[in-house]
Amino acid sequence: MSSLDLNRLFRQIFDRFTIKMLKREDDEQADDEYEKKIGQFRYNFQAVPIGAGTFGKVFKGRDTLNNDAPVAIKVISSDTLKKYKSSEELFLREINILTALKGPHIIELIKVLKSGSGNIYIITKFCNGGSLRDLLKQEKTLSEFRAIKILRQLAQAFVDIEKLDLRDDEGEKLTIMHRDIKPDNILFHNGEPLIADFGFAKTLVDSMKERRDMHTLLGTPDYMAPQILDERKYSYRCDVWSMGIVVYEMLVGQRPWHVSTDYMLLQNILSKPLKFPETNLISEEVQGLLKQMLEIEDDKRLNWKEVLAHPAIIMNKKFEIEQAERGKVKTEGGLEEQLPKS
């Protein structure tokens, strides 16, 4: 992408969301020894980051104009921007995508600031429940109901994105390919899962989303579809594969194929069929769903709407409704607890 195109993209982001340019004297002035001031936001720059995005660290901060409400501040330093000059399009693309995405299971963008020193700050909603990665470290595995409910909610999020009527400059309807779905990028807020970190996301013309094409090879290898690992053409169904790996990990406690190199990972995927350990009681319906989500051939793999229409998902939703009508749900320990009243 040329510098002219990049400037045009940045201009579009300004027009659509207004990235506030801070005056240099207002940039990162510390209220105390450890706290930085970014416009109306503050954060402790020496604190342990709560996460690491594609190109920057994420800190917990506070919004001084909103009763010190907690926020997440992704810091993309000017040094990082210079180091990855060729990836500048990705920085701008993430901001552009986040400004357009809305939904109960999509991370909420609050504001984007660019400092006088050249740093970019992406301010998003703070998620109080940590990441799915954190949860799996604590609990090792999740119940089938809980894992499939998370899948159902996130699959619905991607279907809802298709309903947002996003359009490009030519008026073509767009959809989103995330390309980096993994436990680290699934966050929880008040118990609800949200998709985060759209740093590798790409917009696709909706009518062309099923077509396999050569896209940039991005993502986390352990969760990459075999087409990406093999540097072949792939479609938006690569996200379904990634989510299938995540669901398997939630249920079993490890990924179905786990080796030390990308090459061996691809070879194992191609040569070793998907297996479920006998010690984990996974229903036939869920096993069938995962086999279809982890179908090696891209065009034979389920899409998001087909995931939602699968009997395992329908049964999960039906069970939740039945339990809600009774006013109770099953907890991870098998006990019953009252559903909170809305």
Side-chain angles (χ1 to χ4, degrees):
M1 177 175 280
S2 68
S3 59
L4 181 61
D5 290 334
L6 282 172
N7 289 335
R8 185 179 298 116
L9 178 57
F10 219 167
R11 186 70 261 164
Q12 290 173 357
I13 298 170
F14 270 86
D15 292 342
R16 290 174 58 182
F17 193 75
T18 308
I19 298 180
K20 184 176 180 181
M21 303 296 292
L22 301 177
K23 296 179 181 178
R24 185 171 295 275
E25 58 267 25
D26 294 329
D27 173 27
E28 304 176 356
Q29 290 195 358
D31 290 346
D32 58 39
E33 186 178 358
Y34 302 112
E35 192 170 64
K36 285 190 176 181
K37 170 186 176 183
I38 310 298
Q40 72 198 62
F41 305 99
R42 308 286 187 277
Y43 76 98
N44 184 341
F45 64 91
Q46 291 202 352
V48 176
I50 59 175
T54 305
F55 295 108
K57 295 180 180 179
V58 183
F59 295 89
K60 182 179 180 180
R62 56 191 179 90
D63 182 350
T64 62
L65 297 185
N66 189 21
N67 298 318
D68 283 339
V71 295
I73 302 177
K74 181 175 182 179
V75 183
I76 304 175
S77 70
S78 57
D79 288 340
T80 299
L81 289 168
K82 292 174 184 176
K83 181 178 179 181
Y84 295 100
K85 185 68 176 178
S86 61
S87 298
E88 187 172 0
E89 180 188 359
L90 289 175
F91 301 133
L92 303 184
R93 181 189 293 161
E94 178 177 16
I95 297 170
N96 207 22
I97 288 172
L98 282 171
T99 63
L101 297 186
K102 306 291 180 185
H105 298 291
I106 299 170
I107 197 73
E108 177 188 347
L109 178 67
I110 298 173
K111 187 169 288 189
V112 181
L113 303 174
K114 185 174 183 181
S115 68
S117 61
N119 294 346
I120 290 178
Y121 301 87
I122 301 177
I123 319 297
T124 61
K125 179 178 183 176
F126 173 75
C127 293
N128 57 22
S131 70
L132 178 58
R133 176 71 68 205
D134 298 328
L135 182 62
L136 291 177
K137 285 180 179 178
Q138 295 171 4
E139 302 192 18
K140 308 303 181 186
T141 62
L142 306 184
S143 71
E144 184 173 297
F145 170 76
R146 193 176 183 188
I148 299 305
K149 181 179 178 181
I150 290 171
L151 167 61
R152 171 165 54 87
Q153 292 171 312
L154 299 185
Q156 186 64 60
F158 281 100
V159 171
D160 289 345
I161 286 173
E162 296 180 17
K163 299 177 183 178
L164 288 176
D165 199 32
L166 306 177
R167 306 227 169 226
D168 63 14
D169 292 341
E170 284 72 43
E172 294 274 9
K173 190 177 186 308
L174 299 173
T175 192
I176 301 294
M177 182 164 57
H178 187 282
R179 299 196 292 183
D180 199 21
I181 295 175
K182 56 185 179 181
D184 314 71
N185 290 337
I186 297 172
L187 307 180
F188 291 95
H189 187 70
N190 295 335
E192 296 296 310
L194 294 93
I195 290 285
D197 198 347
F198 284 80
F200 284 162
K202 182 176 183 178
T203 55
L204 298 171
V205 174
D206 188 72
S207 61
M208 305 292 284
K209 67 186 179 184
E210 296 282 1
R211 190 180 79 175
R212 285 173 291 155
D213 208 343
M214 284 303 299
H215 305 286
T216 308
L217 303 177
L218 297 171
T220 302
D222 288 334
Y223 300 90
M224 279 183 180
Q227 289 74 25
I228 306 179
L229 286 171
D230 201 24
E231 300 185 11
R232 292 190 286 124
K233 295 180 179 181
Y234 62 94
S235 77
Y236 84 127
R237 296 180 191 231
C238 67
D239 285 342
V240 176
W241 173 281
S242 300
M243 194 65 213
I245 298 292
V246 171
V247 175
Y248 187 100
E249 190 171 355
M250 286 192 281
L251 294 170
V252 178
Q254 63 182 21
R255 296 181 293 278
W257 299 280
H258 188 72
V259 293
S260 58
T261 67
D262 297 350
Y263 174 78
M264 287 302 301
L265 175 59
L266 177 61
Q267 295 308 307
N268 279 3
I269 291 172
L270 297 178
S271 63
K272 297 182 179 180
L274 180 67
K275 291 184 178 181
F276 299 91
E278 296 180 359
T279 53
N280 294 76
L281 299 178
I282 302 173
S283 68
E284 291 184 5
E285 290 80 11
V286 170
Q287 289 188 34
L289 171 59
L290 286 175
K291 288 177 181 177
Q292 291 179 281
M293 293 179 71
L294 296 175
E295 170 62 52
I296 291 177
E297 296 302 322
D298 187 281
D299 57 355
K300 295 181 180 179
R301 197 176 304 143
L302 297 181
N303 61 35
W304 289 119
K305 289 182 180 179
E306 290 168 339
V307 168
L308 288 177
H310 193 278
I313 297 290
I314 294 173
M315 291 171 60
N316 181 270
K317 178 64 174 178
K318 182 180 179 181
F319 178 79
E320 183 182 31
I321 292 173
E322 290 174 350
Q323 294 300 307
E325 289 174 348
R326 292 172 53 197
K328 298 177 180 180
V329 293
K330 293 288 183 180
T331 67
E332 290 300 294
L335 302 176
E336 288 188 335
E337 63 180 8
Q338 290 294 128
L339 279 172
K341 296 182 188 279
S342 56

